[in-house]
Amino acid sequence: IEFRDLGLVIIDEEQRFGVAQKEKLKKLSIGADLLTLTATPIPRTLNMAMGGILDMSILDDVPGLRSPVQTYVMEHDDGIIAEAVRREIRRGGQVFYLNNNIEYLYTLRGKLSAEIPEARIAVAHGRMDRDELEDIWAALVRGEIDVLVCTTIIETGVDVPNANTLIIENADRFGLSQLHQIRGRVGRSSRRAYAYFTYPKMKQLSEVADKRLRAMKEYAAFGAGFKIALRDLEIRGAGNLLGSQQHGHMEAVGYDMYMKLLEEAVLEEKGETPAAPKECSVNLRVDAFLPKNYIKDSTQRMEMYRKIAKIRCEDDFSDMIDELCDRFGELPSPALNLCRIALVRGQGLEAGFTKIEERDREVVFATESPDLSAVRAAEGRKPGTFRVTLGTLAVISMKKQTGGDLCDTISEFLTNYMKDRDS
């Protein structure tokens, strides 16, 4: 299709499009404005918006007279589910009962009919003849069906205000965006709606599935789509701006480095000069890493490395130690050393040092602007320990003491240095 004078392209339900499809639409719309709409943006798209590549607006006004959907996440229990269906029928409402296995839908209908004989139950799925499906849908809208046993065919474009109970079997197999979209099929009137996300009894959920279901239970209020998308970004990773991956972690360069490079590229495109980042390199002769037998999952290890790198002060250090102990147990020595070095790096950066390095008999601190009064105060506390060499880059040398932990000694000096400098 060729347009004579295309001015605006709108992509609705953006989460249903792949990168290749969206790029083709962008090529059609060169010189035109592009607007994408979605309740739950794909991690890659959300990351681009938060990184400044796309402009983003959030519509979070509460629809009039509506209430948030009451959401339950639970092991499948036939008794609870049957009572939920009966309760909805008693108040004159309708039920969406979703199972994504087409072959099982008719067995499920028979099972429900035996348990709730008073219910009028129909089946709907995408392999049905169009006319048959239209007849079923018309009957549902007229209120002639109490329970619609269906697949994800109802995910978008469905507006049945009288349907206010949703039951999903095997909810652990669905994505966050999909669960949120399906939940939006109920609660479309002033009546309180209920959603039951169930998974098989005694099933051990994967960590990712558990996080998804917890997010659905936690974020049930209006405007939750954005929060759910943020959680999806956290769980699945931001994808790749230079490739077709719409989610995933940039393990090759690390997320922080990836975002830093992205920010610099965006500023350059805007004609702005990126500010030179301040760094403090720390080189101490200790083993500092997260052992594989301590955090076995590589994605979790990467996440912890990223969090540890953000330690800037004693409070951050304490919080990080508490989190590691809570999640993975007592810290091995290399992991503790890694956290201590991160603290030293944060304190060194705050104190204005560019390098902290351990040598045979001393530790050197390099800075462009030393505070000599703070060095004199440190020397007064430990006579004969410090000396200063001035030049283009000033170097403060501290003699290594016998006994005691070197990281703790450095951290103590940096803390006192900042106090003396600021007093």
Side-chain angles (χ1 to χ4, degrees):
I1 299 173
E2 293 185 5
F3 297 91
R4 182 181 64 81
D5 186 18
L6 185 64
L8 175 64
V9 175
I10 301 175
I11 303 175
D12 196 9
E13 301 290 355
E14 179 263 353
Q15 79 280 356
R16 301 179 71 87
F17 290 80
V19 171
Q21 293 170 313
K22 284 183 283 193
E23 289 301 319
K24 190 172 182 179
L25 287 167
K26 284 179 185 176
K27 287 179 181 177
L28 278 176
S29 60
I30 293 175
D33 293 319
L34 178 68
L35 173 66
T36 63
L37 306 172
T38 176
T40 50
I42 290 166
R44 179 180 184 268
T45 303
L46 181 60
N47 189 49
M48 290 169 71
M50 296 178 71
I53 294 177
L54 303 176
D55 292 325
M56 176 172 63
S57 296
I58 301 171
L59 303 179
D60 56 4
D61 291 340
V62 177
L65 301 178
R66 290 192 189 178
S67 300
V69 178
Q70 186 73 43
T71 303
Y72 301 94
V73 175
M74 51 185 277
E75 287 187 343
H76 189 87
D77 185 302
D78 289 336
I80 293 176
I81 296 304
E83 180 54 35
V85 173
R86 289 193 191 97
R87 184 179 61 216
E88 187 61 50
I89 293 174
R90 280 197 301 268
R91 66 175 183 168
Q94 295 164 289
V95 179
F96 288 131
Y97 197 121
L98 193 148
N99 186 301
N100 226 18
N101 184 347
I102 291 177
E103 287 74 17
Y104 179 66
L105 292 183
Y106 297 94
T107 302
L108 181 56
R109 179 179 65 178
K111 181 180 174 183
L112 287 171
S113 295
E115 291 181 356
I116 315 168
E118 69 273 20
R120 297 169 294 175
I121 304 173
V123 172
H125 57 78
R127 292 184 191 170
M128 282 183 162
D129 178 79
R130 185 182 66 181
D131 294 335
E132 181 185 6
L133 197 56
E134 283 183 356
D135 290 341
I136 291 171
W137 203 256
L140 180 73
V141 173
R142 290 194 301 266
E144 298 169 3
I145 295 171
D146 296 319
V147 182
L148 183 68
V149 178
C150 58
T151 59
T152 52
I153 192 173
I154 67 165
E155 183 176 343
T156 55
V158 171
D159 187 5
V160 184
N162 198 43
N164 285 296
T165 292
L166 168 70
I167 298 160
I168 301 180
E169 290 189 357
N170 300 312
D172 55 303
R173 297 182 181 179
F174 292 80
L176 259 180
S177 172
Q178 197 171 29
L179 288 172
H180 182 66
Q181 293 285 345
I182 295 170
R183 182 170 61 184
R185 299 313 98 199
V186 296
R188 305 179 76 83
S189 68
S190 59
R191 185 178 293 180
R192 166 70 76 178
Y194 301 89
Y196 297 83
F197 296 145
T198 73
Y199 53 90
K201 282 187 176 181
M202 307 303 292
K203 181 174 182 179
Q204 182 67 40
L205 297 180
S206 68
E207 182 180 2
V208 171
D210 182 59
K211 285 182 178 179
R212 284 200 301 263
L213 293 177
R214 285 176 183 270
M216 290 305 301
K217 186 176 181 180
E218 182 178 353
Y219 301 124
F222 290 114
F226 181 68
K227 294 179 181 177
I228 286 172
L230 284 173
R231 181 61 62 88
D232 199 20
L233 172 63
E234 177 185 323
I235 294 172
R236 296 200 292 159
N240 186 352
L241 298 184
L242 307 178
S244 61
Q245 283 183 301
Q246 302 220 71
H247 60 86
H249 297 277
M250 286 68 64
E251 296 191 32
V253 297
Y255 185 72
D256 283 346
M257 176 61 72
Y258 187 87
M259 289 306 297
K260 191 181 295 183
L261 294 173
L262 172 61
E263 183 181 0
E264 290 177 3
V266 170
L267 288 174
E268 286 177 6
E269 286 297 316
K270 290 180 177 179
E272 301 176 17
T273 303
K278 294 182 179 180
E279 297 288 348
C280 176
S281 64
V282 178
N283 184 10
L284 303 181
R285 298 171 184 176
V286 294
D287 290 332
F289 60 94
L290 296 175
K292 290 183 179 180
N293 60 0
Y294 180 58
I295 303 178
K296 297 180 175 61
D297 182 77
S298 59
T299 302
Q300 287 185 330
R301 273 202 315 279
M302 188 183 75
E303 178 191 355
M304 288 300 105
Y305 274 121
R306 180 170 57 85
K307 286 188 174 184
I308 290 170
K310 292 182 178 180
I311 292 175
R312 290 292 179 267
C313 60
E314 288 281 358
D315 288 342
D316 294 344
F317 175 78
S318 299
D319 290 344
M320 192 70 250
I321 296 297
D322 289 344
E323 180 176 348
L324 286 168
C325 288
D326 288 344
R327 293 180 62 179
F328 308 105
E330 194 67 29
L331 276 75
S333 183
L336 182 58
N337 288 338
L338 182 67
C339 294
R340 284 174 167 171
I341 287 177
L343 174 60
V344 166
R345 182 184 294 111
Q347 291 176 319
L349 190 62
E350 177 68 20
F353 293 105
T354 57
K355 183 173 71 172
I356 300 173
E357 183 178 3
E358 179 184 1
R359 296 179 180 172
D360 289 340
R361 298 181 181 178
E362 60 186 10
V363 177
V364 298
F365 302 81
T367 179
E368 294 178 354
S369 53
D371 190 299
L372 298 181
S373 61
V375 177
R376 283 194 293 270
E379 174 67 16
R381 281 186 288 267
K382 294 183 178 180
T385 302
F386 296 91
R387 61 184 173 85
V388 179
T389 305
L390 297 177
T392 307
L393 201 64
V395 174
I396 301 170
S397 302
M398 179 181 74
K399 287 184 181 179
K400 291 163 67 173
Q401 305 293 312
T402 56
D405 183 88
L406 182 60
C407 284
D408 289 343
T409 303
I410 295 172
S411 182
E412 180 186 359
F413 163 69
L414 292 171
T415 300
N416 290 329
Y417 180 89
M418 287 185 283
K419 285 180 181 177
D420 295 329
R421 179 197 62 185
D422 298 335
S423 62

